[in-house]
Amino acid sequence: MHGLTTAAALVATAGYALAAPSALVPRKTFQVSQIAKGKVFINGPTQIVKTHQKYAQLGATVPSDAKAAAAAVQSGSVAANPEQYDESYLCPVSVGGQTLNLDFDTGSADLWVFSTVTPSSESTGHARYNPATSGTLKSGYKWDISYGDGSGASGTVYADKVVVGGVTATSQAVEAATSVSAQFTQDTDNDGLLGLAFSSINTVTPQQQTTFFDTVKPTLAKPLFAVDLKKGTAGSYQFGYIDSSKYTGSITYTPVSTANGFWQFTAGGYSVGTSTTTSGSISGASIADTGTTLLYLPDAVVKAYYAKVSGAKYDSTQGGYTFPSSSTLPNFNVNIGGTVFTVPGSYIKFAPVTSTTYFGGIQSSAGIGFNIFGDIFLKAVYAIFDESQSTPRLGFAKQS
């Protein structure tokens, strides 16, 4: 999917009440397709640094090796090649009548955008939301997403019309950036993000705001959305329904804990290679995050995987595991809810470091504090983020 991991919401102070849902134009179901963008940042260390920064407020610390490696190359970019890399795919969203390409992120709960109140030095090349056209300022409301290294974004809040796939929220909270760090400025294809985690971690003060999904949820045929990410080509999101043409077999559901505001679940055993007979366990909590590029797992699992890859090693100059470009990577199999799902080895061959070395799509979650099933995994499944039951659940099925 996208080459840059997007910013996520910080865990907001407990006790804030959520703003009342905004006015809606009802529609029972809709689909929004992603679009391929021409340029992405393909860099393994940068992915690791951004993921750790994303969850810094939950205790994640950036590994020193990865930080040093990213600093050396963070401004680099390559032309996207959908045959080789997972390029950047963004979804067109109408915000106040202006079309912006936003990253849909199940690891955050803010809808924030580049805007005309963002300094030009920080927003050149981005499509910008102009709140003066149709927005209503929510006086005194602010948002601020910051990280351990000082990077982040902040700004003011407006109520405006937001349209996604034909569904309209006439008074959705739109967070207009007045300050954006260089990490976001550099990715000129990405005009902001649309958070799809739980509204409990929305960062707006003095009153948290609802996500777009929570706003439109009462009007949907079913209170759920499904994610169909693809390797090397555009995928799509379905809201309010499950598209049976997107998967084969049955859907396996697993309970979700909302305690931390994420789509958090428990993974089971795993195996490496052609055998889908799993053993051991993936310790710790796991989350499903469309806004994270890689698959982050416990050290023991990562080491077990790369032990099966010829020439693989932990490379301190890259801050992660690398391997010769000639290596054939084995599949990674994981048991979730009693069903084994397979990530093809070709998906784990993430991006080139040099002409002879690749950076791995599976890396350690040790510095994060929990496991992240990012796009490397999600491209292998059809994923359903479901609130149709008494408690939320995640569904996974094999892609068709």
Side-chain angles (χ1 to χ4, degrees):
M1 185 187 162
H2 47 288
L4 280 178
T5 305
T6 58
L10 309 181
V11 176
T13 303
Y16 282 132
L18 290 175
S22 54
L24 305 172
V25 175
R27 188 176 179 188
K28 293 297 184 182
T29 64
F30 67 98
Q31 173 172 293
V32 58
S33 296
Q34 296 171 314
I35 56 174
K37 301 303 292 183
K39 218 177 237 192
V40 292
F41 295 93
I42 301 292
N43 181 264
T46 299
Q47 300 303 326
I48 288 180
V49 169
K50 283 189 167 291
T51 301
H52 285 74
Q53 290 172 352
K54 178 174 181 176
Y55 296 105
Q57 294 298 314
L58 295 182
T61 56
V62 180
S64 57
D65 290 344
K67 189 173 184 179
V73 294
Q74 67 179 350
S75 62
S77 66
V78 297
N81 185 338
E83 296 300 317
Q84 292 182 336
Y85 313 129
D86 297 320
E87 61 183 5
S88 179
Y89 295 107
L90 305 169
C91 298
V93 176
S94 175
V95 182
Q98 303 140 72
T99 299
L100 306 180
N101 291 323
L102 304 184
D103 190 348
F104 285 18
D105 179 15
T106 60
S108 70
D110 290 64
L111 195 171
W112 76 264
V113 295
F114 282 85
S115 69
T116 54
V117 295
T118 311
S120 58
S121 61
E122 299 174 4
S123 59
T124 300
H126 292 271
R128 298 187 296 170
Y129 162 62
N130 184 0
T133 302
S134 57
T136 300
L137 178 67
K138 295 180 76 69
S139 182
Y141 282 64
K142 303 289 184 182
W143 61 281
D144 189 346
I145 298 174
S146 60
Y147 304 99
D149 68 344
S151 66
S154 61
T156 53
V157 184
Y158 293 83
D160 212 333
K161 182 169 73 172
V162 174
V163 183
V164 179
V167 167
T168 301
T170 59
S171 187
Q172 174 68 35
V174 177
E175 299 164 36
T178 57
S179 177
V180 182
S181 67
Q183 287 88 336
F184 302 116
T185 299
Q186 291 170 354
D187 185 8
T188 56
D189 290 321
N190 189 339
D191 304 321
L193 68 83
L194 189 150
L196 292 169
F198 295 96
S199 296
S200 61
I201 59 170
N202 176 266
T203 70
V204 174
T205 60
Q207 185 177 32
Q208 290 176 301
Q209 303 295 296
T210 57
T211 65
F212 179 81
F213 175 60
D214 276 349
T215 299
V216 303
K217 189 166 57 180
T219 71
L220 298 176
K222 294 181 179 180
L224 58 82
F225 63 93
V227 181
D228 183 38
L229 302 185
K230 299 293 185 184
K231 176 176 169 58
T233 190
S236 61
Y237 287 74
Q238 292 80 44
F239 286 79
Y241 73 106
I242 297 170
D243 187 342
S244 60
S245 71
K246 302 292 188 184
Y247 68 94
T248 61
S250 59
I251 299 171
T252 297
Y253 288 97
T254 189
V256 163
S257 168
T258 64
N260 293 313
F262 303 116
W263 292 88
Q264 181 176 313
F265 66 101
T266 300
Y270 69 93
S271 66
V272 179
T274 57
S275 174
T276 57
T277 300
T278 60
S279 61
S281 65
I282 295 177
S283 59
S286 299
I287 68 170
D289 184 3
T290 61
T292 291
T293 304
L294 305 182
L295 172 54
Y296 294 89
L297 298 170
D299 267 342
V301 179
V302 176
K303 290 177 181 177
Y305 179 79
Y306 287 110
K308 302 292 185 180
V309 179
S310 177
K313 64 177 182 178
Y314 179 83
D315 185 344
S316 61
T317 67
Q318 293 299 314
Y321 279 85
T322 62
F323 48 86
S325 55
S326 58
S327 296
T328 299
L329 271 66
N331 296 340
F332 179 78
N333 311 291
V334 57
N335 189 314
I336 300 174
T339 299
V340 176
F341 297 97
T342 297
V343 180
S346 59
Y347 288 21
I348 304 167
K349 194 171 186 177
F350 173 58
V353 177
T354 68
S355 60
T356 59
T357 307
Y358 261 73
F359 195 85
I362 291 177
Q363 298 292 342
S364 174
S365 63
I368 301 172
F370 49 89
N371 309 307
I372 304 179
F373 283 66
D375 300 338
I376 294 292
F377 170 77
L378 293 171
K379 287 191 298 288
V381 298
Y382 185 58
I384 296 95
F385 296 73
D386 188 350
E387 292 190 53
S388 67
Q389 307 298 304
S390 57
T391 56
R393 61 181 184 173
L394 276 166
F396 298 112
K398 182 180 179 180
Q399 285 193 9
S400 56

